[in-house]
Amino acid sequence: MEDVRSEEIKTINGRINWSLFFEEYWKKCPVLYKAPLSEPILTNDDILKLLYIQGKKIRKSEPCDITIYDKDRIAIKGAITSKRNRTEIEQFLPTQENDSLSNYLIKLSEIYRFKEYCIFSNGFHIYGHIWRKLKPFFKIIFENVDVSPLGLHTDLFIGNYTKTSFGAHKDNLDNFMFMIFGFKKMLLWHDKLWKDVLKNPSEDNYTLLDYEKYIPYSIQVNLEPGDILYWPSEYWHVGENGNQFSASINIDYLIPSETNSIDTTIENSLRNIIFSDQNIHSKIRYHSKYNNPVHLPDELYRSFTNITSRLNDENLVKLNLTIEWLRKVSAYGSNRSIIENDTKIEIDKDTIIRSNPLYPIHYSVISHKLIVASAGNILVWPNKKELIKLIHVLNEGMIISLNKLYKRIDGDIFIDLEAFIFLVQTLFKIHAIELTDKI
């Protein structure tokens, strides 16, 4: 085999100059930032809370994108959970009895099956306490590059596994990796090197479990807590832990493939238009007889033409496209909406709220409707100038009691105080504002 070595990793100490990053490194080459953040992007308590919430969802028979790979790389999934199709993963996720993440991880490793394991969580940024920490990075990516048609996404890897359970692999995404705790070595190979020099050793062009003899041709990056590593989609990669406990998260910029290229804004809009009218679904009986030509049922044809006529309704199409675009914009490119805030808090006129001008409430007016969006969640209100003024006032950024806020828009009073409080409760639910006890 030709003696070819891969390029060296560019390493930068301290804070990230994002303008320089997008000019010099984005979609071009890997770069490692050593300790660029003043505080961890996530804490151990954040991760323990996440795993507890996911376990709670699964125990309630709600699907959850979490997988545990055991010592034999057998995957125990939570994504297929339902009342008829349960999974054993629920017994291995933390409960309220687990007082710390480290104790939980150690206790799990004491089970023989999990003496070596990897917990993999997909799209975990949809939980409010995680979203509040990650949204600054979503916003930076979203505002500096073309909007990803498939959105931004997240992954969590945690455990004491020797190496990534599915081996060296290549994804259709650009990747930001944040080291939370522990240490990890990442091995990277550019796709051109992989194909031209290593002769594409992967059978399926995407994964390779036994990659060890190709390690000398890789870029080798040692990560410590607080480090951030970026690599473009052209790079094969694998993580090695050395059987030590570690946790890292990824923020992914998804790239369309030949089989998955439609923008999620368009895809979701079409789905909403098609399935919002139950009348398009007709009862169809098979009428053809043996040895006769099969004819298209009139009922099926009418259902289809009903759909196409709805797609010719300009106002309906524009409304649904606007809703889905606002969903993506307000979640800063996320391909999922953030789960609504279900915190049980009594709100009254003395409650103090906080709004942040860096993360404004987004809105648009379509067909006499006011579309309000925050964290990928949508509210559809009547188009009233008073409601728009309320949004503008909140977007100025403030810490204020509800009573004072209500008086501030006193000249435009359109509802009583009780209804106003309910309105604010709704905004809190979709993460448009926060509650605080300090002014």
Side-chain angles (χ1 to χ4, degrees):
M1 186 180 290
E2 185 180 350
D3 187 14
V4 176
R5 295 294 183 267
S6 193
E7 71 265 34
E8 294 296 321
I9 184 75
K10 176 69 175 179
T11 302
I12 299 174
N13 294 310
R15 295 175 64 86
I16 300 175
N17 181 328
W18 286 107
S19 297
L20 181 64
F21 166 80
F22 287 109
E23 180 180 345
E24 297 289 333
Y25 306 113
W26 175 251
K27 290 190 173 295
K28 296 177 182 176
C29 64
V31 58
L32 172 65
Y33 290 94
K34 299 293 292 182
L37 305 178
S38 58
E39 58 184 37
I41 187 170
L42 292 179
T43 66
N44 287 12
D45 287 343
D46 291 329
I47 296 174
L48 180 64
K49 181 178 179 180
L50 166 68
L51 297 178
Y52 168 71
I53 292 173
Q54 291 178 316
K56 187 177 179 181
K57 281 172 62 70
I58 290 173
R59 293 179 191 105
K60 292 167 60 179
S61 297
E62 297 177 9
C64 191
D65 283 341
I66 186 169
T67 302
I68 302 181
Y69 294 90
D70 67 13
K71 64 180 181 63
D72 298 316
R73 297 178 182 170
I74 296 174
I76 312 169
K77 295 180 177 290
I80 59 173
T81 303
S82 70
K83 290 183 178 179
R84 292 188 177 185
N85 188 8
R86 299 187 66 82
T87 170
E88 61 179 325
I89 196 174
E90 62 185 74
Q91 62 185 299
F92 304 122
L93 291 174
T95 64
Q96 288 182 323
E97 296 178 359
N98 299 106
D99 58 349
S100 74
L101 180 63
S102 60
N103 287 344
Y104 160 70
L105 297 176
I106 292 171
K107 187 175 181 180
L108 183 59
S109 69
E110 292 170 352
I111 301 172
Y112 177 73
R113 181 179 182 181
F114 299 108
K115 67 177 184 178
E116 180 181 326
Y117 65 89
C118 173
I119 300 175
F120 173 68
S121 181
N122 189 262
F124 67 95
H125 64 281
I126 63 173
Y127 301 98
H129 75 290
I130 300 292
W131 173 245
R132 286 189 288 274
K133 300 285 188 73
L134 298 191
K135 69 179 178 181
F137 295 93
F138 273 73
K139 189 171 187 284
I140 288 169
I141 299 169
F142 182 69
E143 294 182 345
N144 281 278
V145 298
D146 294 340
V147 178
S148 168
L150 303 183
L152 297 175
H153 199 54
T154 52
D155 307 305
L156 164 70
F157 293 85
I158 183 170
N160 63 342
Y161 51 97
T162 304
K163 58 186 179 182
T164 306
S165 299
F166 31 90
H169 57 286
K170 187 171 98 62
D171 306 303
N172 284 330
L173 51 87
D174 294 309
N175 202 311
F176 293 88
M177 176 180 170
F178 299 75
M179 201 67 203
I180 307 301
F181 70 80
F183 300 87
K184 184 177 293 188
K185 177 185 286 187
M186 291 299 297
L187 309 177
L188 308 174
W189 299 263
H190 193 282
D191 191 47
K192 184 174 178 58
L193 175 109
W194 193 265
K195 291 178 179 177
D196 296 349
V197 179
L198 307 183
K199 305 305 180 185
N200 197 13
S202 169
E203 292 183 0
D204 62 2
N205 293 322
Y206 284 101
T207 57
L208 180 66
L209 284 176
D210 300 320
Y211 61 87
E212 283 74 12
K213 68 179 180 179
Y214 305 108
I215 291 177
Y217 302 89
S218 67
I219 304 173
Q220 300 184 31
V221 188
N222 293 308
L223 289 105
E224 301 174 313
D227 290 350
I228 300 177
L229 173 64
Y230 164 78
W231 67 86
S233 61
E234 291 82 8
Y235 283 80
W236 287 72
H237 53 279
V238 66
E240 295 185 341
N241 271 26
N243 287 119
Q244 302 298 313
F245 285 110
S246 72
S248 62
I249 67 168
N250 299 339
I251 296 180
D252 311 320
Y253 178 95
L254 302 180
I255 298 172
S257 64
E258 294 180 358
T259 58
N260 185 18
S261 60
I262 187 170
D263 193 301
T264 53
T265 304
I266 296 175
E267 181 181 1
N268 293 336
S269 299
L270 288 171
R271 185 181 295 109
N272 293 340
I273 291 171
I274 291 172
F275 293 107
S276 61
D277 184 359
Q278 297 301 317
N279 293 326
I280 66 172
H281 306 290
S282 303
K283 294 181 179 179
I284 301 171
R285 182 171 296 176
Y286 181 63
H287 297 293
S288 295
K289 296 180 180 180
Y290 176 73
N291 214 22
N292 286 336
V294 176
H295 296 286
L296 180 68
D298 291 340
E299 299 90 344
L300 188 61
Y301 181 73
R302 282 195 295 270
S303 293
F304 184 80
T305 56
N306 193 352
I307 292 172
T308 56
S309 67
R310 290 171 65 79
L311 293 175
N312 287 324
D313 184 334
E314 184 176 347
N315 288 332
L316 181 63
V317 170
K318 192 172 183 180
L319 173 65
N320 280 277
L321 276 172
T322 300
I323 287 174
E324 292 307 319
W325 178 239
L326 277 175
R327 197 184 299 280
K328 181 174 283 188
V329 168
S330 66
Y332 302 107
S334 168
N335 60 358
R336 299 187 182 185
S337 300
I338 312 308
I339 294 175
E340 291 186 356
N341 198 336
D342 61 355
T343 305
K344 306 298 183 183
I345 296 179
E346 292 294 328
I347 297 179
D348 57 30
K349 64 182 180 65
D350 297 318
T351 299
I352 301 170
I353 67 167
R354 175 170 53 206
S355 59
N356 190 338
L358 294 177
Y359 307 102
I361 302 169
H362 295 81
Y363 74 93
S364 185
V365 178
I366 300 290
S367 302
H368 308 293
K369 295 179 180 179
L370 176 62
I371 316 300
V372 181
S374 175
N377 296 290
I378 298 293
L379 300 173
V380 180
W381 289 344
N383 179 21
K384 292 181 177 289
K385 64 179 182 180
E386 300 89 350
L387 288 169
I388 294 176
K389 179 174 180 178
L390 173 62
I391 293 172
H392 286 178
V393 169
L394 289 172
N395 282 347
E396 292 174 7
M398 61 184 62
I399 299 177
I400 191 172
S401 71
L402 288 192
N403 195 37
K404 288 184 178 179
L405 177 61
Y406 184 70
K407 290 179 179 178
R408 179 167 175 175
I409 60 170
D410 187 56
D412 294 302
I413 286 182
F414 54 101
I415 52 177
D416 59 31
L417 181 59
E418 183 177 347
F420 180 76
I421 290 174
F422 177 78
L423 193 71
V424 172
Q425 283 178 319
T426 305
L427 292 173
F428 169 71
K429 190 175 183 180
I430 65 168
H431 308 280
I433 58 172
E434 297 178 2
L435 304 184
T436 183
D437 58 358
K438 297 179 181 179
I439 293 183

